[in-house]
């Protein structure tokens, strides 16, 4: 039997809703509206009318309401089952309940609209109705205010969404539709009445509205009139011929000059003052009387204070309404997990209970699901959670060989498709060696391109000495070494290749290992190597990359800093790590005889 067969197909009143199952951990005020008995289901209270008016006219309140609605619209609902000893319902993967919630409100987009609409109803009047109509076998979902639902002629009616704006036209719910589901935040004193944080914030909203009106009045008064300029009657001005016939030639000329400045903005006429000559004894008699309201310098502070109080009363961060700090217009709906549990979760749980008792469980019971009372609607807030940036910690743990490359990619925003292949990793390591260690560039380049390349350093020669190739030609034949056999040459080449590959692999590990730099006042920077480099500190890529360490800009705080090589083999100084364990680190410092060791 289909779920809607429980209702009459002959126009008789719908039966009472199914009994609520035994109490469980989910508690909220949500129940289907009883069978039609009265002319109106609910009358709008006076305070609800007032807050709806502020929702339409007070921008700060409207923005706070929309902010909460946007956050709740990112909450996703799913079917779950109550399990013993579980802190919350366990998400189900199959069953009739899963099918019903998959199609709930037509999918994720419709679900977001329903959650947003219910959030507004709970935030403003504290109550609203969830309407589920069966039109041609297709469920149509909508959220209605209490002003849009009534009982008339023994049936439920709603405002026709296609009615003209000049008047409201009522229409009955479609046949075989479910009874409207009332969702409300109960009053702490009278459970059947709705409550909302805005009810207690009305005085602050009144104050904020008056402050906004006062600011607008000040600006309008300055636009309405520039005041009056008073001239003594004894003052006379020269009259231009074109204004000679005017009742007051001087005033006519003045108005024309002002009009010209308006007609041609940006020209000299708009900025050059009008010259006037008057007898000296009358100069101090000319007065300007200003009728405009003075701008109150403290009025903006008063408005900000009212906004902050309103935000605290609505449980909204003040930065959201003031546009300050890290919470701006684009990311303000994202919050930390603690804030979500305190602010968003209660509304989400209230809505879940309403849909559970008014929609999911009645349909499961009508479908003869045996454990229908164990099925509930639950929510997922993962889209709202602002994950902490742990990339620096991930780099440090990876350099200490404590996490995998997969964990590093996850914490830095990459996925497994971005992981380099073995061949790509080998090529990257060889490129780092070529850029950072000239002595190993030849063998690394040979391995990279597949051809033997030999790079010989050019030694300095005395002035006037012949070029190296001429010296080789002039050498006596008896001083030249006898050629080795072919087998010996191949064996020596193979040994060199093995040694070169081992050296390249070691240097690649050194290039990826975490190093450190110590900055001290009045002393040059000191490079610290991990124990991995203890036997090969001078061939470490960091040693050669840090030859110009003294030229790097010094940080503002002395101490130990993390050091890494970027993808181009360049030395970079990372974050300050005062608690970094450098017990087994050692430093290499320049001396007259080369490098010398010192413990870190």
């Amino acid at each position: 039997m289909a779920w809607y067969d429980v209702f009459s197909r002959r126009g008789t009143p719908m039966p009472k809703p199914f009994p609520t199952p035994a109490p469980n951990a989910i508690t909220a005020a949500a129940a289907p509206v009883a069978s039609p008995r009265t002319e109106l289901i609910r009358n709008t209270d006076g305070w609800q009318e007032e807050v709806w008016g502020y929702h339409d006219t007070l921008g700060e309140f409207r923005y706070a309401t929309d902010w909460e609605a946007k956050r709740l619209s990112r909450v996703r609902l799913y079917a779950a089952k109550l399990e013993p000893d579980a802190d919350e319902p366990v998400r189900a993967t199959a069953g009739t309940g899963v099918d019903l919630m998959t199609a709930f409100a037509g999918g994720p987009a419709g679900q977001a609209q329903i959650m947003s609409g219910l959030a507004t109803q709970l935030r403003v009047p504290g109550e609203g109705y969830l309407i589920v109509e069966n039109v041609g076998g297709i469920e149509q979902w909508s959220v209605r205010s209490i002003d849009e639902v009534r009982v008339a002629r023994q049936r439920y009616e709603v405002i026709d969404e296609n009615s003209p704006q000049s008047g409201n036209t009522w229409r009955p719910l479609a046949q075989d539709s479910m009874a409207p589901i009332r969702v409300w935040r109960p009053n702490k004193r009278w459970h059947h009445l709705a409550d909302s944080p805005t009810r207690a914030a009305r005085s602050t909203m009144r104050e904020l509205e008056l402050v906004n009106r006062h600011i607008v009045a000040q600006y309008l008064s300055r636009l309405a009139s520039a005041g009056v300029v008073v001239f003594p009657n004894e003052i006379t001005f020269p009259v231009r011929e074109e204004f000679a016939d005017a009742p007051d030639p001087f005033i006519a000329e003045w108005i024309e000059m002002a009009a010209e400045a308006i007609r041609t903005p940006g020209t000299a006429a708009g900025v050059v003052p009008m010259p006037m000559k008057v007898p000296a004894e009358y100069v101090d008699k000319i007065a300007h009387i200003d009728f405009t309201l003075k701008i109150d310098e403290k009025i903006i502070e008063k408005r900000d204070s009212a906004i902050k109080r309103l935000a605290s009363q609505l449980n909204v961060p003040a930065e959201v309404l003031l546009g300050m700090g890290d919470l701006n217009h684009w990311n303000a709906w994202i919050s930390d997990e603690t804030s979500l549990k305190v602010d968003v979760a209660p509304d989400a749980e209230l809505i879940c209970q309403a849909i559970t008792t008014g929609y999911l469980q009645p349909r499961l019971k009508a479908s003869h699901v045996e454990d229908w009372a164990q099925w509930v609607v639950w929510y997922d807030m993962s889209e709202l959670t602002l994950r902490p940036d742990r990339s620096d910690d991930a780099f440090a743990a990876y350099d200490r060989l404590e996490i995998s490359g997969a964990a590093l990619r996850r914490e830095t925003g990459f996925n497994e498709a971005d992981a380099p292949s073995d061949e790509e990793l080998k090529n990257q390591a060889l490129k780092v060696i070529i850029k950072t260690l000239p002595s190993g560039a030849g063998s690394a380049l040979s391995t990279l391109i597949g051809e033997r390349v030999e790079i010989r350093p050019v030694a300095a020669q005395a002035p006037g000495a012949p070029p190296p190739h001429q010296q080789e030609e002039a050498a006596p034949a008896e001083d030249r070494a006898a050629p080795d056999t072919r087998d010996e040459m191949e064996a020596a080449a193979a040994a060199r290749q093995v040694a070169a590959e081992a050296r390249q692999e070691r240097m690649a590990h050194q290039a990826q290992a975490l190093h450190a730099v110590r900055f001290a006042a009045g002393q040059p920077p000191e490079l610290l190597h991990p124990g991995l480099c203890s036997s090969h500190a001078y061939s470490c890529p960091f040693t050669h990359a840090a030859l110009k360490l003294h030229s790097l800009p010094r940080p503002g705080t002395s101490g130990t800093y993390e050091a890494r090589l970027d993808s181009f083999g360049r030395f970079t100084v990372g974050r300050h790590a005062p608690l970094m364990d450098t017990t087994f680190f050692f430093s290499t410092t320049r001396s007259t005889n080369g490098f010398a060791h010192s413990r870190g």
Side-chain angles (χ1 to χ4, degrees):
M1 180 176 64
W3 70 271
Y4 48 82
D5 287 339
V6 299
F7 303 110
S8 171
R9 293 181 177 274
R10 295 183 295 277
T12 56
M14 299 179 184
K16 294 183 178 180
F18 298 105
T20 304
N24 50 55
I26 307 173
T27 58
V33 178
S35 299
R37 293 178 181 176
T38 59
E39 184 66 16
L40 294 175
I41 298 178
R42 278 279 295 120
N43 289 320
T44 304
D45 292 337
W47 70 268
Q48 292 174 321
E49 290 282 3
E50 184 178 3
V51 295
W52 271 124
Y54 288 131
H55 180 266
D56 294 336
T57 60
L58 190 60
E60 292 83 358
F61 176 50
R62 177 66 169 267
Y63 184 81
T65 303
D66 291 345
W67 181 76
E68 286 288 355
K70 289 176 182 177
R71 291 211 299 174
L72 204 60
S73 71
R74 309 315 302 172
V75 175
R76 295 292 175 251
L77 305 182
Y78 59 85
K81 298 190 70 175
L82 300 176
E83 299 290 347
D85 301 326
D87 293 337
E88 62 181 35
V90 179
R91 185 166 190 164
T93 58
T96 306
V98 175
D99 296 337
L100 289 173
M101 290 309 299
T102 300
F104 170 74
Q111 185 182 128
Q113 294 295 321
I114 293 298
M115 297 296 289
S116 176
L118 289 175
T120 301
Q121 299 299 323
L122 292 174
R123 173 63 58 172
V124 182
E127 61 182 325
Y129 288 103
L130 183 60
I131 306 296
V132 190
E133 297 187 79
N134 187 341
V135 180
I138 300 176
E139 290 182 352
Q140 293 185 357
W141 295 73
S142 63
V143 174
R144 301 281 186 149
S145 70
I146 59 176
D147 300 307
E148 295 182 283
V149 181
R150 75 177 185 181
V151 174
R153 295 173 287 277
Q154 295 300 311
R155 63 186 181 183
Y156 292 106
E157 293 184 346
V158 296
I159 294 292
D160 189 354
E161 55 273 19
N162 297 318
S163 63
Q165 296 181 356
S166 57
N168 294 328
T169 302
W170 294 87
R171 65 169 179 83
L173 292 183
Q175 192 176 10
D176 299 331
S177 299
M178 297 187 69
I181 303 171
R182 184 189 178 204
V183 184
W184 84 102
R185 180 180 286 107
N187 186 282
K188 297 300 185 291
R189 184 180 182 187
W190 308 106
H191 185 80
H192 66 287
L193 298 179
D195 198 5
S196 170
T198 58
R199 184 174 187 176
R202 287 176 296 159
S203 60
T204 303
M205 287 191 286
R206 295 182 194 123
E207 176 186 347
L208 183 58
E209 184 182 37
L210 291 175
V211 170
N212 289 337
R213 289 182 180 180
H214 183 62
I215 294 175
V216 172
Q218 289 182 347
Y219 283 111
L220 289 177
S221 71
R222 303 190 74 84
L223 295 176
S225 172
V228 174
V229 179
V230 179
F231 293 95
N233 288 328
E234 291 81 3
I235 299 177
T236 59
F237 298 95
V239 178
R240 287 168 51 179
E241 182 179 354
E242 59 268 32
F243 302 106
D245 297 332
D248 191 330
F250 172 70
I251 296 299
E253 181 179 355
W254 195 347
I255 293 176
E256 175 60 25
M257 294 183 67
E260 178 64 23
I262 296 175
R263 285 194 298 266
T264 58
T267 62
V271 295
V272 175
M274 264 190 349
M276 289 190 298
K277 292 182 178 182
V278 296
E281 64 269 22
Y282 296 113
V283 170
D284 58 348
K285 302 296 190 297
I286 300 175
H288 176 222
I289 302 176
D290 188 2
F291 294 150
T292 62
L293 297 176
K294 301 297 182 182
I295 297 295
D296 186 356
E297 297 180 356
K298 299 292 184 180
I299 194 65
I300 302 300
E301 296 180 7
K302 295 178 182 178
R303 181 170 63 178
D304 290 346
S305 175
I307 291 176
K308 290 178 180 179
R309 295 204 316 277
L310 177 62
S312 64
Q313 293 167 350
L314 299 179
N315 297 325
V316 173
E319 293 81 4
V320 172
L321 298 185
L322 294 174
M324 299 168 56
D326 294 332
L327 289 175
N328 55 41
H329 177 75
W330 301 109
N331 65 4
W333 58 275
I334 305 177
S335 300
D336 61 272
E337 187 174 357
T338 302
S339 174
L340 296 178
K341 289 182 178 179
V342 174
D343 299 330
V344 179
D347 288 347
E349 292 168 2
L350 192 152
I351 294 173
C352 285
Q353 181 66 356
I355 301 173
T356 296
T357 59
Y359 170 73
L360 181 62
Q361 290 181 349
R363 294 213 31 192
L364 292 176
K365 186 176 182 181
S367 300
H368 305 291
V369 176
E370 295 183 359
D371 59 345
W372 60 270
Q374 300 302 314
W375 285 84
V376 296
V377 178
W378 205 238
Y379 61 95
D380 176 15
M381 296 191 298
S382 58
E383 291 190 25
L384 283 172
T385 305
L386 179 62
R387 297 180 67 250
D389 183 7
R390 301 192 298 177
S391 57
D392 289 341
D393 294 334
F395 280 120
Y398 181 77
D399 291 339
R400 296 187 181 184
L401 308 180
E402 293 296 335
I403 62 173
S404 64
L408 178 63
R409 285 186 287 273
R410 182 186 69 243
E411 296 300 330
T412 52
F414 298 94
N415 54 44
E416 290 308 298
D418 300 316
S421 63
D422 293 341
E423 186 64 25
E424 290 172 340
L425 188 60
K426 177 181 177 181
N427 291 340
Q428 291 173 6
L430 292 173
K431 291 177 181 178
V432 171
I433 295 174
I434 293 172
K435 294 175 181 178
T436 59
L437 188 60
S439 61
S443 56
L445 186 58
S446 300
T447 304
L448 186 61
I449 66 177
E451 297 180 4
R452 182 170 180 77
V453 177
E454 185 175 357
I455 300 177
R456 297 180 179 178
V458 179
Q461 59 187 50
H469 68 277
Q470 294 182 9
Q471 297 178 16
E472 183 178 355
E473 293 176 356
E478 58 270 20
D479 293 341
R480 299 177 185 177
D484 297 329
T485 64
R486 183 178 183 85
D487 293 339
E488 292 174 343
M489 294 176 61
E490 291 180 353
R496 289 194 300 271
Q497 180 66 22
V498 171
E501 292 179 355
R503 183 170 61 255
Q504 293 164 9
E505 183 177 1
R506 169 176 51 77
M507 293 169 60
H509 285 295
Q510 289 177 304
Q512 295 178 357
L514 176 65
H515 287 58
V517 180
R518 180 184 295 137
F519 292 94
Q523 299 180 10
E526 188 176 15
L527 174 64
L528 300 179
H529 294 264
L532 173 68
C533 306
S534 58
S535 300
H536 306 280
Y538 312 128
S539 61
C540 175
F542 276 85
T543 301
H544 293 266
L547 291 178
K548 297 183 179 180
L549 183 60
H550 63 280
S551 63
L552 293 176
R554 299 179 68 91
T557 304
S558 299
T560 303
Y561 289 78
E562 296 178 353
R564 294 187 179 86
L565 296 180
D566 63 13
S567 57
F568 296 98
R570 294 174 299 198
F571 192 92
T572 60
V573 178
R575 65 176 182 176
H576 187 211
L579 302 180
M580 184 176 181
D581 184 9
T582 59
T583 304
F584 299 101
F585 279 53
F586 64 92
S587 66
T588 52
T589 56
R590 279 283 191 179
S591 68
T592 55
N593 296 324
F595 286 103
H597 282 275
S598 64
R599 300 304 299 177

